[in-house]
Amino acid sequence: EKAIETTTNFYRKYNITTNTFHSDRESAMIPVQSKYKIIFTGGVREHENTAESKIRRIKESMRSILSTLPYDLPAFLLSYLLQHTIILHNHRINTSSQPLTPFEIIMGIKITDNQLINSRFGRAVYVNKGETNNSLESRIVSGIVVGHEPLNPNKIGRAHV
């Protein structure tokens, strides 16, 4: 339920709303039936192969990113990793979306490879606080990249370390 709420809230910021979700009778979807329209695409003990394949790809991508980080990612940042991984997958042209990416079709903007590289999840960033004073105290805050704003890919989201 939390995952669906997080996802719908994320897209709602960009005036994209949905109240319908497809599921292959996952028990986790039962509690959200009162809030959303859930369309069950398979019978009992049947699986939606396309959805299962995409979920496996997302999980493998998350595992790959986690294995490249030089630190253990705190659990509270896993939702950002999931969101970042889905965004990466939506920046790939597929057979259904050709010649555009799914992201370009929905959001109407193109993200360049350089913008995706700059928003690499977990990369260390150092940001000027913008405060000015005469002390010798550092004006730099360190953090890690946790993604980018979809409508402004040059604006990188960061978490303080």
Side-chain angles (χ1 to χ4, degrees):
E1 184 174 356
K2 183 178 177 185
I4 290 177
E5 290 288 331
T6 301
T7 303
T8 55
N9 289 337
F10 172 79
Y11 285 106
R12 192 173 293 126
K13 291 189 306 189
Y14 305 102
N15 295 321
I16 298 172
T17 59
T18 186
N19 64 351
T20 304
F21 294 90
H22 294 259
S23 173
D24 62 348
R25 300 207 179 271
E26 294 289 338
S27 59
M29 298 301 278
I30 294 170
V32 299
Q33 288 184 87
S34 60
K35 293 182 182 178
Y36 301 100
K37 180 178 179 182
I38 308 298
I39 298 172
F40 293 106
T41 56
V44 176
R45 294 188 187 91
E46 288 183 22
H47 291 282
E48 174 57 46
N49 293 333
T50 303
E52 295 287 332
S53 173
K54 289 179 181 183
I55 290 168
R56 278 193 305 276
R57 266 187 262 147
I58 295 292
K59 284 181 178 179
E60 285 303 316
S61 293
M62 288 179 68
R63 285 187 190 106
S64 296
I65 292 170
L66 283 171
S67 72
T68 65
L69 297 177
Y71 50 83
D72 290 332
L73 189 70
F76 73 92
L77 291 176
L78 285 173
S79 63
Y80 291 98
L81 175 59
L82 174 61
Q83 184 179 28
H84 179 77
T85 306
I86 291 169
I87 286 172
L88 287 179
H89 279 271
N90 285 333
H91 284 295
R92 296 182 183 143
I93 294 173
N94 61 46
T95 55
S96 301
S97 71
Q98 273 181 321
L100 303 173
T101 66
F103 184 86
E104 291 173 87
I105 292 170
I106 299 296
M107 303 301 267
I109 60 172
K110 181 167 182 62
I111 304 294
T112 67
D113 290 339
N114 282 341
Q115 289 165 323
L116 286 177
I117 290 167
N118 286 336
S119 67
R120 190 182 82 233
F121 189 89
R123 180 175 63 91
V125 291
Y126 302 93
V127 181
N128 188 324
K129 289 190 234 179
E131 300 170 3
T132 57
N133 59 36
N134 289 331
S135 75
L136 293 176
E137 184 180 317
S138 174
R139 295 181 186 150
I140 303 296
V141 176
S142 62
I144 62 168
V145 172
V146 294
H148 66 267
E149 284 289 326
L151 294 180
N152 185 358
N154 292 316
K155 182 178 180 185
I156 296 173
R158 58 193 173 276
H160 294 291
V161 176

